[in-house]
Amino acid sequence: MDVGSLTSGLLTGLREGVEAALIISIILSYLARSGHRQAFGRVWLGAAAAVALSLAAGLALFVTVGDLPSPYEQLFEAAAMLLAAAVVTWMLFWMRRTSAGIRDELQAALGRALAVGSASGLALLAFVAVMREGLETSLFLVGQAASAQAGAGWVLLGAVAGLAIAAVLGAAMYRGAARINLRVFFRWTGIALIFIAAGLLASAVHELVEIGWINVGTVVVADLSSVLPHEAIDGAPAGVPLVIGQLLRALVGYNARPELAMVVAWVVYVGAVLPLYLRPIAPRLPSPARPLEPAA
């Protein structure tokens, strides 16, 4: 059992799943309060279509990785990890900036769709809202699976478990039974995803070093494979040290024999992104009133 890959997949599925569940619960709550429960089916149809398309996209990406010959496989894995790190970074800051107004924006869009009596509008709204989360999740999981290699199955299993928990939380939010502080939840899972993204970035650098695309900083900083290996190899200690090493690899990109370029990439990313993410959000100032034009 790869505890690290399972945990990283669980965190990703839980975070992204809760975001999607929150959006769907807002939509359904608004429809219920406005007396449009008959539109629930359209919302579920749009959400299901988005989930199916996201799964297909993620599966296609994952299968493509295994079919490429060397060094193109390593290049594709590095590209997937870099893109996943970039997307999750953008997603974290987008959610941080817009989370306060997401309910009002969704309800305004729902009001417009209901005003024109558009069934396809409701389905499309749910589709777009869930599709964004689904594609982000698929891409991030593909990057994690590429980094985990042998533990790819555990990443997927963890993601499924995280999504299942998120579905339960979403149902509880709709019923009004959930009392979790979403601001605190998103803040701490966001911090965890920053470290996971840093690990993906460092792993991508490692792949590029291995195939010779990066020729600077290739010296190995330290060799801890005899004490804390990140993968099972002959002569390396098994048991607890291996479990801890795999956990650290999945969560923070730990490598028992890291190159200098890996370490620099990890430190620069965390040092730049984490303070920006934790800085206080400036309150939105009201738009200045427009001066009255003089009468003609």
Side-chain angles (χ1 to χ4, degrees):
M1 179 177 178
D2 191 335
V3 178
S5 298
L6 181 70
T7 304
S8 65
L10 176 67
L11 286 173
T12 300
L14 181 60
R15 162 77 188 219
E16 298 299 314
V18 166
E19 287 186 17
L22 175 63
I23 291 171
I24 293 299
S25 67
I26 290 173
I27 293 175
L28 295 180
S29 296
Y30 180 83
L31 291 175
R33 289 199 307 270
S34 59
H36 292 88
R37 288 181 176 272
Q38 72 278 5
F40 278 19
R42 302 162 192 170
V43 174
W44 288 121
L45 179 63
V51 171
L53 189 56
S54 300
L55 286 173
L59 182 60
L61 283 173
F62 182 73
V63 171
T64 302
V65 175
D67 291 339
L68 294 174
S70 181
Y72 301 107
E73 180 180 350
Q74 289 88 342
L75 280 174
F76 190 95
E77 289 176 352
M81 287 185 279
L82 288 173
L83 187 57
V87 168
V88 76
T89 303
W90 172 85
M91 176 269 296
L92 288 172
F93 283 97
W94 179 87
M95 190 67 182
R96 177 180 182 272
R97 185 178 66 254
T98 61
S99 59
I102 191 171
R103 181 183 297 272
D104 294 336
E105 292 175 8
L106 279 173
Q107 291 181 351
L110 281 167
R112 290 192 294 269
L114 292 172
V116 298
S118 173
S120 59
L122 289 173
L124 181 62
L125 178 63
F127 176 83
V128 172
V130 177
M131 187 67 187
R132 185 183 65 81
E133 303 295 340
L135 287 179
E136 287 174 358
T137 305
S138 295
L139 181 59
F140 199 31
L141 289 175
V142 167
Q144 289 177 290
S147 176
Q149 296 176 348
W154 291 106
V155 172
L156 178 59
L157 182 61
V160 170
L163 290 171
I165 296 172
V168 173
L169 290 175
M173 283 187 283
Y174 172 72
R175 297 292 183 184
R179 292 294 181 266
I180 62 172
N181 188 320
L182 289 176
R183 183 181 297 274
V184 173
F185 171 83
F186 285 133
R187 182 179 180 85
W188 283 104
T189 54
I191 292 172
L193 288 182
I194 286 174
F195 283 99
I196 293 176
L200 291 178
L201 174 62
S203 297
V205 169
H206 173 71
E207 294 290 336
L208 296 176
V209 168
E210 280 198 332
I211 62 176
W213 275 50
I214 293 181
N215 297 314
V216 179
T218 59
V219 60
V220 174
V221 177
D223 187 353
L224 302 176
S225 56
S226 61
V227 179
L228 190 64
H230 67 269
E231 59 184 353
I233 56 176
D234 293 338
V240 174
L242 179 59
V243 171
I244 295 175
Q246 289 177 334
L247 180 63
L248 292 175
R249 176 179 176 80
L251 295 181
V252 299
Y254 168 77
N255 190 300
R257 301 184 74 253
E259 298 92 0
L260 178 61
M262 278 188 70
V263 176
V264 170
W266 194 94
V267 171
V268 169
Y269 177 88
V270 174
V273 175
L274 187 60
L276 288 175
Y277 183 74
L278 294 177
R279 78 186 192 281
I281 302 177
R284 293 184 177 180
L285 297 177
S287 301
R290 296 179 58 185
L292 294 176
E293 296 182 359

